[in-house]
Amino acid sequence: MKKYVLKATALAIGALVGNAAVAAVTAGVDFDAATPTVSKYAKELAYNNATPIINVNAINFTTKIGFGVSNGQTRYIRIDYANATLDAAHGAVGGTDIEINNNGAADSFAVVQGGQIGDNYVIYQVTAAADHAASASVDVKVPDLRVTSTASAVNVTYSLHETAVSAVAGSAGASKLYTKSQDIITFATGLKFTVDTTPTTTASVEQSFLKFKTGGGYINDTTAKLGSITFGVDATVLEHDGSGVDIADLLAATGTKIVLTGDTGIPFGANDTAKKASVYIAADADCAAGTASTTVPTATGASFTTDLNTYTTRGICYVVNGTSAISASTYSVRVDVAAAAGTSTASIADKAIGSIVRDGTELQAPFATIYAGTGNRAVLTSLHSSDAVVTASAITEDGVTCNTGTTTFNLKSGKQLFINASDVCPTLSVGTRFALKFIIAAPNNKISGVYNSYTYDATTGKVTDLASYPLQRPAN
């Protein structure tokens, strides 16, 4: 009885309207296109009964009817929504809510099952007022939708049925004549954060690692560009009303930070203000003045509070003070997000941005000892044209401490330098073994070295049982 009333009502409306002009359903996703155009919505937002996806023309759809219908025949069209339910009822006015072959209200339509708020399907009974070929288009207006999960797309399955029984059974119905499925809405991250790395910048050994040399991210001898970032929203991603998503839709008004980290730290000026100014997000991609770090950088990094700012492509830049040696380091940058209420906006993990290397020399003796009765030393040889500062340090086993001795030496141009293991580390808290590391302010190809372990005969004045191995040269 209910089905009859609905159908009768639709027929009555059709009789009243007749063939009067009715605005055609605006097509959206074309199921039969080689590559259907599908709208992307921000996956961080919730699309529920408070903020459903509001109907815009882009989420309507078009498909071929799939099986010819002759004038006067009755068929059933079923539309199923996966990952969504209706937030507004499906209408049945031909030419406004659904139409075949642009025939407007001439064909008779009635919603005979489903189609109400909270449903995930609708079944139309349609009586044709003209012959429609199998290739004729069916245009359907999609009502407002509540999305179950933004982890997957909203998909629609269209099916044409000969009988009501088949339509109720769905796309598996025995009298099904045609079916086609297609995504009509997809979801993507609305927050955009891209990083462009800069070729490696070099701290100059000729300047005792106090300044940068030309090349890589070099801006001047005390400023280097570590890379550039773009931060904001993806202009192609939409919010629930079909407009572009805004940064305020995704982030709380305060609290989001862009965080720069390095693996060995950054040298800074003598006070907090200078430290903050030493790392900054530039006003452009090439290290013009910009936003300094909002916190005093730690040994490994600095952070910048966004406060809903968006950044077109801008450099992250690093200013040194010219008096502290520049560390070799590899840098990365991430976003620590303070999400807007009701959203699932997530922090963005570290992305590599740039690196600084030294063009000097590092040599290591993986095994050294201060064992009593033996001599142990490193022998450095220079072919460099200038004297070079040698900074020595010990690498100990876990839980062992070196009681540090002399750590700075001078390697003369074109000369050798002998450094006893006991000069660097006279005693250890436990044991006698450790490793030696030497950082030498000279080009890598101008310095070489060996490690000697030997015994000495005080009577004869001769070295006995000499063992040597080349000092190791880690990649700088």
Side-chain angles (χ1 to χ4, degrees):
M1 183 64 182
K2 181 179 179 182
K3 189 179 298 185
Y4 171 80
V5 171
L6 286 169
K7 181 177 179 182
T9 302
L11 290 171
I13 292 172
L16 288 171
V17 175
N19 291 321
V22 177
V25 178
T26 302
V29 182
D30 184 353
F31 281 24
D32 299 308
T35 306
T37 301
V38 181
S39 297
K40 292 186 295 184
Y41 283 74
K43 68 185 299 181
E44 298 92 337
L45 304 182
Y47 304 99
N48 48 34
N49 61 332
T51 53
I53 290 182
I54 296 172
N55 170 265
V56 290
N57 292 333
I59 66 172
N60 296 337
F61 68 89
T62 298
T63 178
K64 65 183 179 183
I65 195 169
F67 195 91
V69 180
S70 61
N71 188 0
Q73 272 191 323
T74 295
R75 292 289 183 262
Y76 296 87
I77 292 173
R78 177 172 176 137
I79 299 163
D80 289 277
Y81 294 88
N83 194 35
T85 58
L86 306 182
D87 192 72
H90 253 289
V93 178
T96 299
D97 302 306
I98 184 170
E99 63 181 350
I100 300 172
N101 205 27
N102 296 317
N103 207 32
D107 297 322
S108 170
F109 295 92
V111 173
V112 292
Q113 196 168 65
Q116 304 305 303
I117 294 174
D119 288 336
N120 64 354
Y121 76 101
V122 60
I123 298 174
Y124 288 106
Q125 180 178 321
V126 54
T127 301
D131 292 340
H132 298 305
S135 59
S137 63
V138 177
D139 298 311
V140 178
K141 178 181 178 180
V142 174
D144 300 352
L145 296 175
R146 303 171 188 172
V147 177
T148 305
S149 170
T150 58
S152 58
V154 173
N155 184 274
V156 166
T157 298
Y158 161 91
S159 55
L160 178 70
H161 300 263
E162 182 178 2
T163 68
V165 172
S166 177
V168 169
S171 60
S175 300
K176 175 188 66 181
L177 302 172
Y178 179 76
T179 189
K180 185 81 178 272
S181 294
Q182 169 64 42
D183 292 342
I184 63 167
I185 295 169
T186 59
F187 298 95
T189 301
L191 193 63
K192 180 179 181 180
F193 182 64
T194 58
V195 176
D196 295 317
T197 59
T198 294
T200 299
T201 308
T202 301
S204 172
V205 65
E206 303 295 343
Q207 298 290 338
S208 300
F209 305 126
L210 303 179
K211 296 181 180 181
F212 299 111
K213 66 187 295 184
T214 304
Y218 175 91
I219 302 296
N220 55 55
D221 60 5
T222 58
T223 304
K225 176 182 173 181
L226 297 177
S228 58
I229 62 169
T230 303
F231 176 71
V233 295
D234 187 331
T236 67
V237 175
L238 310 177
E239 59 175 297
H240 73 282
D241 62 2
S243 63
V245 69
D246 301 315
I247 196 78
D249 296 325
L250 305 175
L251 301 180
T254 60
T256 294
K257 294 180 180 180
I258 293 173
V259 180
L260 173 75
T261 57
D263 53 18
T264 57
I266 315 170
F268 301 106
N271 57 64
D272 289 353
T273 301
K275 288 181 180 181
K276 288 183 180 182
S278 61
V279 183
Y280 64 94
I281 296 178
D284 60 16
D286 295 312
C287 291
T291 303
S293 171
T294 50
T295 62
V296 177
T298 67
T300 56
S303 64
F304 311 86
T305 301
T306 66
D307 292 341
L308 291 187
N309 290 330
T310 58
Y311 299 116
T312 54
T313 302
R314 298 186 180 188
I316 291 188
C317 307
Y318 169 25
V319 178
V320 297
N321 57 26
T323 59
S324 299
I326 302 166
S327 299
S329 186
T330 298
Y331 293 93
S332 60
V333 65
R334 69 177 189 270
V335 180
D336 289 345
V337 161
T343 72
S344 60
T345 310
S347 295
I348 300 173
D350 281 310
K351 298 175 182 285
I353 187 168
S355 60
I356 293 173
V357 298
R358 290 176 163 186
D359 63 350
T361 301
E362 179 179 336
L363 298 176
Q364 290 185 13
F367 176 81
T369 183
I370 51 173
Y371 187 73
T374 63
N376 291 274
R377 67 192 178 192
V379 184
L380 306 181
T381 302
S382 172
L383 297 178
H384 188 36
S385 58
S386 302
D387 294 354
V389 174
V390 178
T391 302
S393 60
I395 303 171
T396 63
E397 296 176 78
D398 186 33
V400 178
T401 302
C402 168
N403 300 309
T404 305
T406 304
T407 58
T408 303
F409 303 85
N410 187 38
L411 177 57
K412 294 286 187 177
S413 171
K415 303 297 182 179
Q416 281 189 312
L417 175 65
F418 290 75
I419 301 175
N420 292 321
S422 58
D423 291 340
V424 179
C425 191
T427 60
L428 294 167
S429 61
V430 178
T432 61
R433 63 192 183 194
F434 57 100
L436 283 169
K437 181 172 76 171
F438 303 99
I439 301 297
I440 305 149
N444 194 44
N445 62 351
K446 299 293 185 180
I447 304 296
S448 59
V450 297
Y451 181 82
N452 297 155
S453 183
Y454 59 92
T455 57
Y456 181 77
D457 189 325
T459 302
T460 63
K462 294 181 180 180
V463 170
T464 60
D465 298 324
L466 174 67
S468 296
Y469 65 83
L471 295 179
Q472 304 300 301
R473 195 181 303 268
N476 280 28

